[in-house]
Structures are given as structure tokens and as C-alpha cells.
Amino acid sequence: TDSPTPPYLATNLQHFQATLARLWTAVHWENKNKETLWRLVVDGIPLPGNTHLSRVPIKPCECGSYGGDTDQPYSPRMHHFWECPIAKAVREQIDRHLRLLSPATIQGGITRQQLWLVQAPTGCEQAPWDVIAMAALSSMEYGRYCLRAATREQRQQGASTHGRQQQTQTRTAEQGPRQRAITDFFNRLGGFTQEEDEAANTHPSIYTTQPTLDNAVQTTASPLDQAQA
Ligand SMILES: [Zn+2]
């Protein structure tokens, strides 16, 4: 029952292969920033529920919105790199910035195809988008890791502070990791710009102020600002 690959899919695949080749040869950036995309491509992030890990039971996400009883088809990739509040927080940063640059073209926000297949949205240059997409995916993975660590820590603290003074903080479990994913995202973009500047032996030229979720101010030289076509 093997049906031939639909033409649109074949085109996408061809395009994506070219994209990967470009990212690996033309984008000079530390491999740690490219790794998440690569592992995502080969389904290689060890997420229970992945196609080659189908016998491993689904592990619910600590955000509480994935892996519960009501969730139908389990796709850990779809959750952790798109739907999870951590992933959404990173996406929102991109949407917000692109909207500032080009209000008309980014209505409704970036799409999954643009992010996962590294296809620049209309009105956005491809070169900065290469960096933005890889940074975003890396930070989503980092945020997933932070959320798991934070939840584990909270559980341990809950056990050890039993009977002692209750903490007054009532923030939700993913609040901290969400902010850390966002900060990580801007740090990666800043790191890329710095590497570029060092290579060109010039001073960073574009610095902008990025308000973060908690209104802390961060200074970043960002491919986000170069994204406008
Ligand atoms: Zn989640």
C-alpha cells in the first residue's frame, strides 16, 4: 500500500535538505545551537512517544497540558516544540518582534512549517531567520529541561520544608522555566551577533532593548532586528 510521495511533499523535502545543508555549512555558529534542529529532524530527541520509542509510555509534560487523559494522539514533538507554554513563550517573542518590524505580514504569528522547516515568513530575510529558528528550537528544548528540573526541585522542597514556614510565592511551576527559555533565546541571538562581529572585527552595530515577561530589561544585538526584508 505504498503510495508515491505527493509532489508538494517531495518539494518540501528537497527544499528542507537544501536548507539543512546551508545551515550546516554557511551558518557559522556553535554546533550546540544547531543540535536541537538536527535531532528534531531525525526524531532523535528521546521523547517518550516518538515513533521509534513507541513502546515507551507517554511521559506527561510538567506544564500539565500534555499527556493527561484527555489528550488524543500523542506527539511529544508537537507539544514540546509548539504547544507547550514554554514553546509558546518563545514563539510569542518572535511574533512580537516580527510584528514590530512588519505588521502586515506576520498576522496570526509564525507557523509550524516556518519554524520547524526553517522557512522565513513573508517579509522576513532568510539569513536572520536561519538563526532565529535554530535559537528558538534550542531554547524550547532548554526550557523543557528547566521545567523538569524545577518541578523535581519543587517536589523535593515540598518534602523537605514540610512543617516549616510556608513559602509565600505562589508562582506556577512553569513561570521560572518560561522566563529562562526566553532569556536563553535572546542570549543565543546575542551570542550569534557577537561571533559575527568578532569575525568581522567590528563593534556590534545594532543594539535594542528587549522587554521580557517580568519587565526586566535586556540588551541584545539581535537577528530579530535584521529580519525585515
Ligand atoms: Zn508542556
Side-chain angles (χ1 to χ4, degrees):
T1 58
D2 274 2
S3 49
T5 310
Y8 77 91
L9 194 56
T11 309
N12 256 334
L13 276 173
Q14 245 174 20
H15 188 263
F16 190 55
Q17 277 166 2
T19 300
L20 285 178
R22 184 186 70 245
L23 296 180
W24 257 261
T25 55
V27 180
H28 301 287
W29 206 11
E30 284 178 275
N31 279 342
K32 66 172 185 189
N33 296 295
K34 303 179 178 180
E35 202 180 273
T36 303
L37 173 68
W38 175 249
R39 290 161 72 206
L40 207 55
V41 169
V42 297
D43 214 9
I45 293 180
L47 301 167
N50 273 359
T51 46
H52 64 290
L53 293 171
S54 54
R55 281 177 304 171
V56 180
I58 301 290
K59 193 177 184 308
C61 182
E62 312 289 0
C63 72
S65 64
Y66 170 70
D69 293 335
T70 53
D71 238 355
Q72 339 84 336
Y74 292 114
S75 166
R77 172 158 46 191
M78 175 69 117
H79 180 78
H80 295 296
F81 295 94
W82 191 254
E83 290 176 339
C84 184
I86 302 280
K88 272 188 184 154
V90 176
R91 282 201 277 133
E92 278 162 15
Q93 297 298 317
I94 302 175
D95 289 344
R96 198 165 55 80
H97 279 266
L98 293 189
R99 221 172 275 133
L100 287 176
L101 293 176
S102 183
T105 51
I106 195 68
Q107 270 176 1
I110 58 165
T111 67
R112 205 148 45 91
Q113 181 165 336
Q114 287 161 352
L115 179 65
W116 289 4
L117 300 185
V118 200
Q119 295 174 0
T122 314
C124 178
E125 294 276 12
Q126 183 64 49
W129 186 254
D130 286 349
V131 176
I132 292 167
M134 287 194 290
L137 293 171
S138 301
S139 301
M140 288 172 181
E141 172 66 351
Y142 175 72
R144 182 175 79 90
Y145 170 82
C146 288
L147 179 57
R148 267 173 46 199
T151 312
R152 205 179 308 131
E153 207 172 288
Q154 262 185 1
R155 260 189 230 118
Q156 281 164 1
Q157 268 179 9
S160 69
T161 58
H162 180 71
R164 273 189 260 155
Q165 197 181 5
Q166 192 75 23
Q167 285 216 329
T168 48
Q169 279 178 322
T170 53
R171 54 180 188 175
T172 59
E174 84 257 14
Q175 190 71 46
R178 195 157 51 188
Q179 186 56 54
R180 284 166 75 180
I182 292 169
T183 304
D184 181 72
F185 174 60
F186 285 115
N187 284 345
R188 284 176 200 273
L189 296 182
F192 176 78
T193 312
Q194 203 179 345
E195 280 183 42
E196 262 198 330
D197 289 330
E198 279 165 11
N201 198 22
T202 58
H203 290 290
S205 52
I206 310 165
Y207 274 87
T208 56
T209 305
Q210 320 285 2
T212 52
L213 281 189
D214 59 1
N215 284 329
V217 167
Q218 215 182 343
T219 305
T220 328
S222 175
L224 282 170
D225 297 310
Q226 304 166 19
Q228 190 171 23

